[in-house]
Amino acid sequence: MRPEITTIVLTLLAVVLGVVAYLKDPGLPLIGARNGLAMLWLVLPRLVPGILTPGGPMLVAYMTSWSLFGMQRIIAWEAPLMGWRFVFVRVVPSLAFPVLAGWLVHQD
């Protein structure tokens, strides 16, 4: 089995940028690896149901709802800065958007 050219290019680019980061500060590659693993743990619980769900419309609905209703954004930014009334006024009308996005990409 032959690897694709994109895989080779991306691997080479990652190695080169890792060396550049190490030359800038030897601790940067470790920080990058920790951040990458933290992001993997954040995304993996959302990615697994999307892979297990049949078809693209469900994945689009999952991703739309994840971007609209991120609890970390609501709790850390919107509620403290704008107030819970703003959160309510923004979230309630947005409840239909994930379903609508999934319906729009559904092809029969």
Side-chain angles (χ1 to χ4, degrees):
M1 186 187 306
R2 237 174 94 185
E4 290 188 33
I5 189 71
T6 54
T7 305
I8 295 169
V9 169
L10 289 175
T11 303
L12 183 63
L13 186 62
V15 170
V16 168
L17 291 176
V19 170
V20 169
Y22 181 81
L23 293 175
K24 184 173 181 177
D25 180 1
L28 283 179
L30 182 60
I31 293 170
R34 285 184 187 156
N35 288 340
L37 287 174
M39 185 171 289
L40 176 66
W41 284 113
L42 176 71
V43 171
L44 197 59
R46 294 161 179 90
L47 186 62
V48 169
I51 291 171
L52 296 177
T53 304
M58 292 299 286
L59 183 60
V60 169
Y62 286 141
M63 298 307 285
T64 304
S65 63
W66 180 31
S67 65
L68 283 174
F69 309 119
M71 290 306 294
Q72 72 280 3
R73 183 181 69 218
I74 291 173
I75 292 172
W77 295 101
E78 290 179 358
L81 296 175
M82 304 296 283
W84 284 104
R85 183 167 194 258
F86 171 83
V87 173
F88 181 77
V89 168
R90 185 192 69 79
V91 168
V92 171
S94 301
L95 290 174
F97 286 146
V99 176
L100 180 64
W103 179 73
L104 286 173
V105 299
H106 181 70
Q107 298 175 8
D108 272 338

XYZ file of all heavy atoms in Angstrom:
837
model
N 0.840 -1.167 0.000
C 0.000 0.000 0.000
C 0.898 1.247 0.000
O 1.790 1.371 0.818
C -0.904 -0.006 1.238
C -1.893 1.122 1.186
S -2.910 1.363 2.660
C -3.642 -0.187 2.954
N 0.643 2.149 -0.927
C 1.427 3.374 -1.066
C 0.803 4.515 -0.285
O -0.397 4.750 -0.387
C 1.455 3.760 -2.544
C 2.847 3.890 -3.093
C 2.810 4.120 -4.547
N 2.856 5.559 -4.763
C 2.739 6.130 -5.930
N 2.517 5.400 -6.990
N 2.823 7.409 -6.065
N 1.592 5.231 0.518
C 1.012 6.376 1.225
C 0.681 7.506 0.261
O 1.353 7.701 -0.751
C 2.105 6.788 2.208
C 3.360 6.235 1.645
C 2.985 5.026 0.827
N -0.347 8.235 0.594
C -0.732 9.361 -0.245
C 0.269 10.498 -0.091
O 0.911 10.655 0.934
C -2.119 9.859 0.159
C -3.220 8.915 -0.200
C -4.561 9.555 0.061
O -4.689 10.780 -0.089
O -5.487 8.814 0.419
N 0.364 11.327 -1.120
C 1.297 12.444 -1.109
C 0.926 13.452 -0.023
O 1.809 14.041 0.610
C 1.388 13.113 -2.500
C 2.523 14.136 -2.542
C 0.080 13.771 -2.876
C 3.886 13.524 -2.529
N -0.374 13.620 0.240
C -0.767 14.569 1.284
C -0.295 14.112 2.654
O 0.122 14.932 3.476
C -2.289 14.770 1.297
O -2.933 13.505 1.420
C -2.766 15.461 0.040
N -0.326 12.813 2.910
C 0.163 12.283 4.180
C 1.648 12.544 4.338
O 2.111 12.956 5.408
C -0.125 10.777 4.283
O -1.520 10.549 4.088
C 0.302 10.231 5.628
N 2.381 12.322 3.273
C 3.821 12.554 3.306
C 4.120 14.036 3.532
O 4.963 14.393 4.364
C 4.484 12.038 2.004
C 4.346 10.526 1.911
C 5.941 12.460 1.937
C 4.722 9.952 0.570
N 3.431 14.909 2.823
C 3.672 16.350 2.948
C 3.316 16.834 4.353
O 4.089 17.592 4.968
C 2.881 17.128 1.873
C 2.900 18.618 2.151
C 3.438 16.837 0.496
N 2.175 16.412 4.877
C 1.774 16.850 6.209
C 2.704 16.322 7.295
O 3.016 17.029 8.264
C 0.332 16.442 6.492
C -0.726 17.201 5.702
C -2.113 16.637 5.976
C -0.684 18.685 6.047
N 3.172 15.082 7.152
C 4.125 14.528 8.115
C 5.439 15.292 8.074
O 6.002 15.649 9.120
C 4.362 13.039 7.832
O 3.107 12.350 7.877
C 5.317 12.434 8.840
N 5.934 15.550 6.870
C 7.172 16.313 6.720
C 7.022 17.718 7.298
O 7.909 18.218 8.004
C 7.561 16.374 5.240
C 8.879 17.073 4.923
C 10.044 16.334 5.555
C 9.067 17.170 3.418
N 5.896 18.359 7.035
C 5.640 19.698 7.561
C 5.586 19.691 9.091
O 6.141 20.586 9.741
C 4.326 20.235 6.986
C 3.964 21.669 7.312
C 5.010 22.627 6.759
C 2.602 22.001 6.733
N 4.963 18.679 9.672
C 4.895 18.576 11.133
C 6.282 18.398 11.743
O 6.611 19.016 12.763
C 3.983 17.419 11.540
N 7.108 17.580 11.110
C 8.470 17.368 11.618
C 9.288 18.652 11.517
O 9.969 19.046 12.467
C 9.150 16.202 10.861
C 10.631 16.124 11.193
C 8.456 14.889 11.196
N 9.212 19.323 10.376
C 9.979 20.566 10.190
C 9.535 21.625 11.202
O 10.372 22.285 11.839
C 9.833 21.086 8.738
C 10.361 22.494 8.607
C 10.547 20.151 7.779
N 8.232 21.791 11.372
C 7.745 22.777 12.331
C 8.063 22.386 13.772
O 8.301 23.257 14.614
C 6.247 22.994 12.142
C 5.858 23.694 10.842
C 4.347 23.763 10.704
C 6.465 25.084 10.764
N 8.102 21.094 14.054
C 8.522 20.636 15.382
C 9.972 20.983 15.656
O 10.325 21.420 16.760
N 10.828 20.829 14.650
C 12.241 21.199 14.802
C 12.377 22.703 14.985
O 13.143 23.178 15.840
C 13.068 20.696 13.591
C 14.466 21.279 13.608
C 13.109 19.175 13.584
N 11.636 23.481 14.204
C 11.677 24.946 14.345
C 11.231 25.359 15.741
O 11.855 26.218 16.379
C 10.813 25.619 13.256
C 10.634 27.099 13.541
C 11.432 25.406 11.888
N 10.166 24.745 16.245
C 9.682 25.062 17.592
C 10.726 24.684 18.635
O 10.956 25.434 19.591
C 8.362 24.336 17.860
N 11.375 23.536 18.469
C 12.407 23.109 19.415
C 13.592 24.075 19.411
O 14.143 24.391 20.465
C 12.881 21.691 19.085
C 13.932 21.200 20.041
C 13.560 20.687 21.283
C 15.288 21.256 19.727
C 14.511 20.241 22.180
C 16.246 20.812 20.613
C 15.851 20.306 21.845
O 16.803 19.864 22.739
N 13.975 24.537 18.235
C 15.083 25.486 18.153
C 14.725 26.827 18.799
O 15.605 27.507 19.345
C 15.508 25.689 16.699
C 16.147 24.475 16.032
C 16.421 24.755 14.564
C 17.422 24.055 16.756
N 13.469 27.201 18.727
C 13.035 28.455 19.354
C 13.026 28.315 20.867
O 13.494 29.192 21.583
C 11.651 28.843 18.833
C 11.177 30.167 19.346
C 9.891 30.594 18.686
C 9.488 31.952 19.234
N 8.296 32.444 18.600
N 12.461 27.215 21.348
C 12.415 26.938 22.786
C 12.245 25.426 22.936
O 11.244 24.872 22.469
C 11.251 27.678 23.435
C 11.146 27.436 24.931
O 11.989 26.709 25.496
O 10.212 27.979 25.545
N 13.187 24.739 23.585
C 13.098 23.271 23.686
C 11.837 22.750 24.373
O 11.461 21.603 24.183
C 14.348 22.900 24.504
C 15.308 24.014 24.248
C 14.458 25.244 24.104
N 11.134 23.576 25.115
C 9.918 23.122 25.784
C 8.664 23.240 24.932
O 7.614 22.690 25.276
N 8.733 23.950 23.805
C 7.544 24.167 22.977
C 6.936 22.887 22.402
O 5.711 22.753 22.400
C 7.859 25.155 21.858
C 7.931 26.627 22.262
C 8.266 27.487 21.051
C 6.639 27.080 22.889
N 7.721 21.940 21.881
C 7.076 20.718 21.360
C 6.289 19.950 22.416
O 5.216 19.425 22.133
C 8.250 19.883 20.835
C 9.296 20.893 20.502
C 9.147 21.961 21.546
N 6.771 19.928 23.649
C 6.039 19.247 24.722
C 4.737 19.982 25.042
O 3.688 19.361 25.239
C 6.911 19.143 25.976
C 6.293 18.404 27.154
C 5.954 16.971 26.760
C 7.233 18.439 28.346
N 4.799 21.308 25.065
C 3.585 22.099 25.290
C 2.580 21.858 24.161
O 1.383 21.691 24.401
C 3.927 23.599 25.404
C 4.736 23.858 26.668
C 2.660 24.449 25.391
C 5.313 25.255 26.748
N 3.070 21.813 22.927
C 2.197 21.541 21.786
C 1.560 20.165 21.864
O 0.375 19.993 21.560
N 2.346 19.159 22.277
C 1.800 17.805 22.408
C 0.736 17.756 23.502
O -0.315 17.125 23.326
C 2.927 16.821 22.714
N 0.979 18.422 24.623
C -0.022 18.456 25.696
C -1.298 19.145 25.240
O -2.400 18.671 25.520
C 0.540 19.185 26.914
C 1.522 18.376 27.695
C 1.962 19.121 28.924
N 3.038 18.414 29.582
C 3.919 18.977 30.377
N 3.862 20.275 30.619
N 4.872 18.261 30.931
N -1.167 20.270 24.533
C -2.353 20.968 24.030
C -3.110 20.128 23.016
O -4.341 20.114 22.993
C -1.963 22.310 23.413
C -1.560 23.335 24.443
O -1.893 23.214 25.618
N -0.823 24.332 24.019
N -2.380 19.423 22.165
C -3.022 18.555 21.187
C -3.793 17.421 21.843
O -4.923 17.103 21.444
N -3.208 16.803 22.863
C -3.908 15.730 23.575
C -5.115 16.270 24.338
O -6.162 15.613 24.395
C -2.954 15.014 24.525
C -1.928 14.117 23.847
C -0.939 13.570 24.865
C -2.609 12.984 23.106
N -4.983 17.466 24.903
C -6.133 18.065 25.598
C -7.268 18.325 24.610
O -8.444 18.083 24.926
C -5.708 19.364 26.285
N -6.931 18.788 23.417
C -7.964 19.026 22.411
C -8.574 17.704 21.940
O -9.774 17.625 21.699
C -7.394 19.792 21.221
C -8.451 20.158 20.201
S -7.847 21.256 18.935
C -7.680 22.755 19.879
N -7.746 16.663 21.830
C -8.263 15.356 21.440
C -9.287 14.862 22.453
O -10.353 14.362 22.088
C -7.120 14.348 21.305
C -7.527 12.906 20.995
C -8.151 12.827 19.617
C -6.335 11.985 21.124
N -8.989 15.020 23.745
C -9.935 14.598 24.782
C -11.203 15.426 24.760
O -12.270 14.966 25.163
C -9.286 14.644 26.166
C -8.358 13.502 26.392
C -7.012 13.569 26.528
C -8.696 12.113 26.477
N -6.486 12.304 26.684
C -7.497 11.395 26.662
C -9.891 11.405 26.403
C -7.468 10.014 26.783
C -9.859 10.023 26.521
C -8.666 9.347 26.708
N -11.103 16.671 24.306
C -12.285 17.519 24.196
C -13.141 17.126 22.996
O -14.367 17.078 23.075
C -11.858 18.987 24.068
C -12.969 19.994 23.857
C -13.778 20.157 25.136
C -12.401 21.331 23.417
N -12.508 16.796 21.886
C -13.228 16.529 20.641
C -13.698 15.079 20.543
O -14.758 14.803 19.979
C -12.330 16.892 19.434
C -12.940 16.439 18.125
C -12.076 18.385 19.407
N -12.949 14.143 21.097
C -13.250 12.719 20.940
C -14.661 12.331 21.378
O -15.356 11.611 20.653
C -12.206 11.879 21.676
C -12.132 10.419 21.296
C -11.813 10.266 19.813
C -11.088 9.702 22.129
N -15.154 12.805 22.539
C -16.534 12.433 22.906
C -17.581 12.959 21.927
O -18.665 12.417 21.828
C -16.732 13.075 24.285
C -15.378 13.314 24.805
C -14.493 13.530 23.614
N -17.266 13.996 21.198
C -18.204 14.530 20.207
C -18.030 13.849 18.852
O -18.960 13.751 18.071
C -18.012 16.032 20.061
C -18.381 16.793 21.303
C -17.760 18.168 21.298
N -18.110 18.932 22.470
C -17.415 18.931 23.598
N -16.330 18.211 23.698
N -17.798 19.657 24.615
N -16.816 13.397 18.585
C -16.512 12.792 17.298
C -17.031 11.357 17.200
O -17.530 10.952 16.156
C -15.001 12.829 17.064
C -14.495 12.371 15.721
C -15.050 13.273 14.629
C -12.981 12.379 15.694
N -16.940 10.596 18.282
C -17.350 9.188 18.256
C -18.839 9.042 17.922
O -19.192 8.266 17.035
C -16.978 8.489 19.578
C -17.615 7.119 19.672
C -15.463 8.365 19.694
N -19.756 9.782 18.578
C -21.167 9.640 18.159
C -21.393 10.062 16.713
O -22.219 9.482 16.019
C -21.929 10.564 19.111
C -21.040 10.757 20.270
C -19.642 10.641 19.748
N -20.641 11.069 16.252
C -20.790 11.511 14.861
C -20.350 10.441 13.876
O -20.939 10.282 12.814
N -19.291 9.662 14.217
C -18.839 8.574 13.333
C -19.818 7.415 13.366
O -20.058 6.765 12.355
C -17.425 8.124 13.751
C -16.423 9.232 13.440
C -16.998 6.868 13.033
C -15.071 9.008 13.978
N -20.374 7.148 14.576
C -21.283 6.005 14.725
C -22.671 6.274 14.157
O -23.424 5.350 13.876
C -21.401 5.615 16.205
C -20.109 5.107 16.843
C -20.335 4.837 18.327
C -19.594 3.859 16.141
N -23.030 7.547 14.032
C -24.337 7.908 13.496
C -24.314 7.774 11.980
O -23.404 8.266 11.332
C -24.682 9.363 13.865
O -24.602 9.492 15.279
C -26.063 9.729 13.401
N -25.325 7.107 11.414
C -25.294 6.928 9.968
C -25.568 8.235 9.222
O -26.487 8.975 9.552
C -26.424 5.918 9.714
C -27.336 6.089 10.867
C -26.489 6.509 12.032
N -24.744 8.490 8.246
C -24.998 9.603 7.335
C -24.451 10.944 7.776
O -24.195 11.188 8.943
N -24.289 11.808 6.802
C -23.746 13.125 7.018
C -24.670 14.103 7.705
O -24.206 14.950 8.460
N -25.993 14.045 7.483
C -26.868 15.027 8.114
C -26.791 15.038 9.644
O -26.815 16.095 10.256
C -28.265 14.623 7.646
C -28.038 13.914 6.361
C -26.722 13.210 6.517
N -26.664 13.856 10.235
C -26.562 13.806 11.692
C -25.256 14.433 12.162
O -25.219 15.129 13.176
C -26.673 12.361 12.193
C -28.044 11.779 11.984
S -29.342 12.664 12.850
C -29.044 12.150 14.506
N -24.168 14.184 11.425
C -22.883 14.785 11.793
C -22.950 16.307 11.682
O -22.435 17.022 12.552
C -21.772 14.224 10.911
C -20.360 14.708 11.213
C -19.974 14.357 12.630
C -19.386 14.134 10.224
N -23.606 16.806 10.643
C -23.759 18.256 10.483
C -24.591 18.819 11.640
O -24.265 19.869 12.194
C -24.398 18.593 9.119
C -24.803 20.049 9.055
C -23.436 18.254 7.998
N -25.630 18.113 12.032
C -26.456 18.564 13.154
C -25.651 18.573 14.450
O -25.752 19.517 15.241
C -27.689 17.672 13.294
N -24.837 17.529 14.678
C -23.982 17.500 15.870
C -23.013 18.680 15.890
O -22.859 19.357 16.905
C -23.168 16.213 15.943
C -23.937 14.985 16.339
C -23.683 13.769 15.733
C -24.901 15.023 17.336
C -24.366 12.625 16.092
C -25.602 13.887 17.700
C -25.325 12.693 17.081
O -26.000 11.575 17.436
N -22.334 18.896 14.784
C -21.325 19.956 14.732
C -21.967 21.339 14.860
O -21.411 22.230 15.492
C -20.513 19.863 13.443
C -19.738 18.563 13.301
S -18.705 18.193 14.708
C -17.385 19.333 14.453
N -23.146 21.521 14.274
C -23.844 22.799 14.394
C -24.254 23.052 15.838
O -24.059 24.152 16.368
C -25.085 22.823 13.482
O -24.681 22.553 12.139
C -25.777 24.163 13.539
N -24.795 22.037 16.489
C -25.208 22.229 17.881
C -24.007 22.441 18.789
O -24.058 23.227 19.734
C -26.042 21.048 18.364
O -25.278 19.867 18.360
N -22.901 21.767 18.492
C -21.691 21.939 19.295
C -21.191 23.382 19.188
O -20.793 23.983 20.181
C -20.628 20.948 18.836
C -19.334 21.018 19.581
C -19.142 21.361 20.887
C -18.039 20.725 19.068
N -17.817 21.297 21.198
C -17.117 20.903 20.117
C -17.588 20.317 17.820
C -15.758 20.690 19.934
C -16.222 20.104 17.664
C -15.332 20.290 18.713
N -21.240 23.941 17.995
C -20.754 25.310 17.838
C -21.738 26.340 18.392
O -21.341 27.397 18.876
C -20.443 25.603 16.376
O -21.610 25.563 15.608
N -23.027 26.052 18.344
C -24.020 27.003 18.851
C -24.178 26.968 20.366
O -24.411 27.999 20.993
C -25.388 26.716 18.223
C -25.604 27.181 16.801
C -26.946 26.679 16.293
C -25.541 28.687 16.715
N -24.085 25.786 20.931
C -24.431 25.622 22.346
C -23.254 25.155 23.188
O -23.414 24.353 24.098
C -25.591 24.632 22.492
C -26.758 24.955 21.606
C -27.179 24.045 20.647
C -27.408 26.163 21.712
C -28.245 24.342 19.823
C -28.474 26.469 20.888
C -28.893 25.557 19.938
N -22.057 25.656 22.904
C -20.882 25.292 23.700
C -21.021 25.806 25.128
O -21.063 27.015 25.361
N -21.120 24.889 26.070
C -21.329 25.283 27.464
C -20.161 26.093 28.004
O -20.357 26.995 28.816
C -21.556 24.037 28.333
C -22.885 23.364 28.080
S -24.306 24.462 28.222
C -24.269 24.865 29.949
N -18.934 25.770 27.578
C -17.794 26.528 28.070
C -17.893 27.992 27.655
O -17.557 28.882 28.425
C -16.468 25.903 27.608
C -16.144 26.067 26.144
C -16.855 25.081 25.233
O -17.660 24.283 25.667
N -16.549 25.133 23.948
N -18.369 28.254 26.452
C -18.523 29.632 25.993
C -19.651 30.334 26.740
O -19.526 31.485 27.146
C -18.802 29.660 24.489
C -18.884 31.094 23.958
C -19.188 31.137 22.485
N -20.546 30.674 22.259
C -20.921 29.922 21.238
N -20.046 29.530 20.357
N -22.168 29.559 21.096
N -20.740 29.627 26.953
C -21.880 30.220 27.650
C -21.514 30.566 29.089
O -21.763 31.684 29.553
C -23.099 29.270 27.608
C -23.642 29.175 26.180
C -24.182 29.727 28.573
C -24.721 28.140 25.994
N -20.886 29.616 29.790
C -20.572 29.824 31.201
C -19.400 30.788 31.381
O -19.415 31.630 32.283
C -20.290 28.470 31.885
C -21.592 27.651 31.936
C -19.731 28.659 33.279
C -21.415 26.239 32.398
N -18.377 30.675 30.534
C -17.178 31.492 30.728
C -17.304 32.897 30.162
O -16.696 33.826 30.692
C -15.975 30.787 30.094
N -18.068 33.070 29.081
C -18.083 34.370 28.413
C -19.445 35.043 28.373
O -19.597 36.182 28.797
C -17.559 34.231 26.971
C -16.135 33.823 26.937
C -15.641 32.575 26.696
C -15.000 34.652 27.184
N -14.277 32.583 26.770
C -13.855 33.852 27.061
C -14.839 36.001 27.495
C -12.582 34.353 27.242
C -13.565 36.498 27.666
C -12.458 35.668 27.548
N -20.418 34.356 27.822
C -21.695 35.015 27.559
C -22.437 35.389 28.833
O -22.868 36.537 28.982
C -22.568 34.139 26.664
C -22.041 34.042 25.258
C -22.893 33.151 24.380
O -23.883 32.573 24.863
O -22.566 33.039 23.181
N -22.605 34.448 29.745
C -23.366 34.736 30.967
C -22.684 35.803 31.829
O -23.348 36.749 32.254
C -23.605 33.458 31.750
N -21.378 35.696 32.092
C -20.764 36.735 32.930
C -20.728 38.115 32.268
O -20.887 39.124 32.943
C -19.338 36.236 33.167
C -19.353 34.799 32.862
C -20.439 34.599 31.857
N -20.509 38.156 30.955
C -20.362 39.446 30.290
C -21.684 40.046 29.833
O -21.862 41.268 29.885
C -19.420 39.317 29.090
C -17.975 38.944 29.429
C -17.170 38.731 28.160
C -17.335 39.998 30.303
N -22.589 39.210 29.354
C -23.835 39.716 28.777
C -25.058 39.434 29.651
O -26.104 40.028 29.442
C -24.066 39.090 27.390
C -22.919 39.310 26.429
S -22.660 41.025 26.041
C -23.978 41.297 24.901
N -24.950 38.497 30.565
C -26.066 38.158 31.444
C -26.852 36.953 30.927
O -26.806 36.598 29.754
N -27.575 36.332 31.858
C -28.324 35.128 31.510
C -29.504 35.426 30.595
O -29.940 34.572 29.832
C -28.793 34.413 32.777
C -27.661 33.685 33.431
C -26.976 34.066 34.541
C -27.058 32.465 32.993
N -25.982 33.171 34.814
C -26.018 32.157 33.886
C -27.293 31.605 31.933
C -25.222 31.042 33.754
C -26.493 30.465 31.794
C -25.477 30.197 32.693
N -30.030 36.627 30.653
C -31.127 36.973 29.740
C -30.644 36.927 28.295
O -31.340 36.414 27.409
C -31.681 38.366 30.070
C -32.852 38.713 29.190
C -33.591 39.943 29.726
N -34.874 40.045 29.076
C -35.135 40.902 28.082
N -34.223 41.733 27.682
N -36.318 40.923 27.528
N -29.451 37.462 28.042
C -28.871 37.401 26.701
C -28.688 35.957 26.264
O -29.000 35.598 25.120
C -27.523 38.133 26.672
C -26.771 37.927 25.398
C -27.048 38.687 24.276
C -25.776 36.952 25.300
C -26.358 38.497 23.097
C -25.084 36.749 24.121
C -25.383 37.528 23.015
N -28.168 35.107 27.169
C -27.970 33.696 26.839
C -29.294 33.063 26.452
O -29.390 32.353 25.448
C -27.321 32.944 28.023
C -27.270 31.452 27.760
C -25.919 33.493 28.295
N -30.334 33.324 27.222
C -31.659 32.764 26.936
C -32.178 33.242 25.587
O -32.664 32.453 24.767
C -32.631 33.154 28.060
C -34.005 32.608 27.865
C -34.284 31.286 28.139
C -35.035 33.419 27.399
C -35.561 30.779 27.962
C -36.308 32.928 27.214
C -36.568 31.603 27.505
N -32.049 34.547 25.330
C -32.553 35.117 24.072
C -31.760 34.591 22.877
O -32.289 34.454 21.782
C -32.521 36.663 24.141
C -32.757 37.290 22.787
C -33.525 37.159 25.154
N -30.484 34.260 23.063
C -29.681 33.724 21.968
C -29.911 32.224 21.781
O -30.016 31.734 20.656
C -28.189 33.967 22.205
C -27.345 33.518 21.025
C -25.869 33.470 21.337
N -25.479 32.439 22.253
C -25.315 31.154 21.932
N -25.557 30.735 20.706
N -24.925 30.281 22.821
N -30.003 31.471 22.854
C -30.069 30.011 22.767
C -31.445 29.521 22.314
O -31.531 28.651 21.444
C -29.667 29.373 24.116
C -30.005 27.899 24.145
C -28.180 29.566 24.362
N -32.501 30.034 22.863
C -33.841 29.513 22.559
C -34.178 29.618 21.066
O -34.605 28.628 20.468
C -34.914 30.176 23.449
C -36.304 29.819 22.988
C -34.703 29.751 24.898
N -33.970 30.767 20.412
C -34.264 30.795 18.977
C -33.324 29.907 18.146
O -33.670 29.500 17.047
C -34.074 32.256 18.577
C -34.159 33.021 19.838
C -33.664 32.108 20.902
N -32.149 29.587 18.700
C -31.178 28.784 17.955
C -31.419 27.285 18.058
O -30.718 26.506 17.409
C -29.757 29.081 18.468
O -29.451 30.437 18.315
N -32.381 26.864 18.856
C -32.608 25.433 19.052
C -32.956 24.698 17.763
O -32.641 23.517 17.609
C -33.701 25.210 20.100
C -33.320 25.570 21.532
C -34.535 25.438 22.445
C -32.188 24.696 22.025
N -33.586 25.356 16.831
C -33.995 24.698 15.590
C -32.860 24.614 14.563
O -32.951 23.830 13.614
C -35.180 25.431 14.977
N -31.800 25.388 14.733
C -30.748 25.436 13.709
C -30.045 24.107 13.452
O -29.806 23.768 12.290
C -29.733 26.520 14.035
C -30.247 27.914 13.794
C -29.852 28.955 14.606
C -31.133 28.184 12.769
C -30.326 30.244 14.396
C -31.617 29.465 12.546
C -31.209 30.489 13.361
N -29.665 23.305 14.467
C -29.028 22.018 14.152
C -29.923 21.097 13.326
O -29.456 20.449 12.384
C -28.722 21.420 15.523
C -28.624 22.596 16.426
C -29.618 23.589 15.899
N -31.213 21.060 13.649
C -32.144 20.227 12.881
C -32.257 20.754 11.455
O -32.236 19.985 10.483
C -33.519 20.192 13.573
C -34.528 19.413 12.743
C -33.398 19.606 14.969
N -32.353 22.067 11.323
C -32.442 22.684 10.001
C -31.175 22.425 9.187
O -31.252 22.098 7.995
C -32.687 24.192 10.139
C -32.805 24.989 8.854
C -34.029 24.521 8.060
C -32.912 26.471 9.161
N -30.012 22.523 9.815
C -28.753 22.269 9.094
C -28.681 20.823 8.633
O -28.265 20.541 7.500
C -27.563 22.610 9.994
N -29.075 19.879 9.490
C -29.098 18.470 9.079
C -30.077 18.224 7.956
O -29.803 17.468 7.023
N -31.218 18.868 8.002
C -32.216 18.716 6.952
C -31.724 19.285 5.631
O -31.974 18.724 4.553
C -33.506 19.406 7.372
C -34.589 19.333 6.353
C -35.347 18.260 5.998
C -35.021 20.408 5.514
N -36.229 18.590 5.029
C -36.046 19.912 4.695
C -34.646 21.742 5.388
C -36.692 20.707 3.755
C -35.286 22.513 4.453
C -36.301 22.006 3.652
N -30.991 20.419 5.693
C -30.499 21.047 4.455
C -29.462 20.197 3.728
O -29.383 20.226 2.500
C -29.927 22.421 4.761
C -30.958 23.511 5.068
C -30.261 24.782 5.524
C -31.829 23.771 3.864
N -28.658 19.445 4.469
C -27.636 18.619 3.801
C -28.138 17.224 3.461
O -27.451 16.462 2.787
C -26.333 18.501 4.636
C -25.711 19.852 4.841
C -26.574 17.811 5.939
N -29.324 16.870 3.927
C -29.896 15.559 3.620
C -30.241 15.475 2.135
O -30.886 16.347 1.579
C -31.150 15.320 4.462
C -31.768 13.998 4.226
N -31.172 12.827 4.635
C -32.934 13.633 3.629
C -31.941 11.809 4.280
N -33.022 12.275 3.678
N -29.783 14.411 1.507
C -30.049 14.210 0.085
C -30.738 12.872 -0.120
O -30.249 11.837 0.281
C -28.750 14.233 -0.711
C -28.037 15.552 -0.614
C -26.696 15.492 -1.320
O -26.381 14.526 -1.981
N -25.925 16.535 -1.172
N -31.861 12.905 -0.753
C -32.568 11.660 -1.106
C -32.514 11.418 -2.575
O -32.512 12.221 -3.401
C -34.031 11.718 -0.664
C -34.199 11.227 0.753
O -33.323 10.488 1.232
O -35.206 11.594 1.374
